[in-house]
Amino acid sequence: MSASDLPDELWARVLELGAASSALGFRDLCALAIACRRLRRLSLHRSLWSALLSRDFPSQSPQPSTSSSSSSSQHHPKSVYKTKFERHKVRMAEARRRVVFEAEGRVLACRRRLAQLEESLQAEGEKLKASAQELENLERVRRASVALNVWQPQVVRGRQKELVQQCTVPVDSRLSDLKMELKV
């Protein structure tokens, strides 16, 4: 005995059981519909599509049909399922787009923050260079000052005298301030 020898009632019962459980989905019913005329006719039963509607869209109750076989195709559970599926598909696509837009927004915010941090880092680097340069200049002034205090004024070179005279800030206090700033 082959599958084609089975009566339609048995096939219908198998399809109903599959639709009621998770074993048979709308894609499976559509695939059966294109297999042969007999399965197409069987896959179009209202009970199959009503079972799929209640299983896949439980929060929305299917529209009750007012007449049995003379109702229009737009009230057939298959067309209702198709409409709800298309709406669900559109909602899911919108939700994915929203997630992508939110992720892109977070990436953009991170890029802005990164640019701010890079600018801040560059400014701090420039401050560090200026402090290091000032520290080097103050070290030279301090050495010149020590040389002035230790050596005889006749022996001191003119350049050292100029360095000490140009410095208006107390060298030792400024040196300790710069060293602390560089450590931080």
Side-chain angles (χ1 to χ4, degrees):
M1 179 180 228
S2 70
S4 61
D5 295 336
L6 293 175
D8 285 352
E9 294 81 24
L10 189 56
W11 273 109
R13 184 64 183 144
V14 167
L15 292 177
E16 284 175 15
L17 288 173
S21 68
S22 302
L24 189 67
F26 78 95
R27 285 187 174 101
D28 301 320
L29 273 180
C30 292
L32 282 172
I34 63 172
C36 69
R37 288 185 185 129
R38 182 179 181 199
L39 289 177
R40 176 177 173 72
R41 183 174 37 82
L42 289 171
S43 69
L44 290 176
H45 276 252
R46 289 180 169 275
S47 61
L48 294 173
W49 288 98
S50 294
L52 284 176
L53 264 173
S54 62
R55 186 188 77 202
D56 293 346
F57 302 104
S59 62
Q60 305 162 349
S61 60
Q63 297 175 351
S65 61
T66 54
S67 61
S68 58
S69 61
S70 63
S71 72
S72 66
S73 66
Q74 78 185 73
H75 291 24
H76 190 279
K78 180 180 180 181
S79 58
V80 173
Y81 186 95
K82 182 179 178 183
T83 302
K84 289 184 178 187
F85 178 78
E86 291 298 324
R87 287 181 188 157
H88 177 71
K89 195 165 81 171
V90 167
R91 280 193 302 271
M92 294 304 289
E94 289 172 353
R96 282 190 298 271
R97 263 184 265 144
R98 241 180 280 121
V99 167
V100 167
F101 287 146
E102 289 170 0
E104 287 175 345
R106 286 191 303 270
V107 166
L108 185 59
C110 288
R111 284 185 179 162
R112 286 184 191 140
R113 180 67 180 139
L114 181 62
Q116 290 172 348
L117 289 173
E118 286 174 343
E119 288 174 7
S120 174
L121 182 64
Q122 185 177 7
E124 288 297 320
E126 290 172 4
K127 284 182 187 176
L128 185 64
K129 284 180 186 176
S131 295
Q133 182 63 41
E134 187 177 359
L135 179 65
E136 184 181 320
N137 290 341
L138 286 173
E139 285 287 342
R140 262 193 262 135
V141 168
R142 187 175 64 85
R143 284 191 305 265
S145 174
V146 167
L148 278 175
N149 291 336
V150 172
W151 298 342
Q152 295 297 323
Q154 303 90 324
V155 182
V156 176
R157 295 193 178 133
R159 177 73 182 134
Q160 290 171 335
K161 232 180 201 178
E162 289 175 24
L163 281 174
V164 173
Q165 289 170 351
Q166 289 174 358
C167 186
T168 58
V169 178
V171 176
D172 292 332
S173 66
R174 185 63 185 146
L175 266 176
S176 64
D177 289 347
L178 280 175
K179 286 180 183 177
M180 287 295 282
E181 189 177 317
L182 285 175
K183 284 181 185 178
V184 173

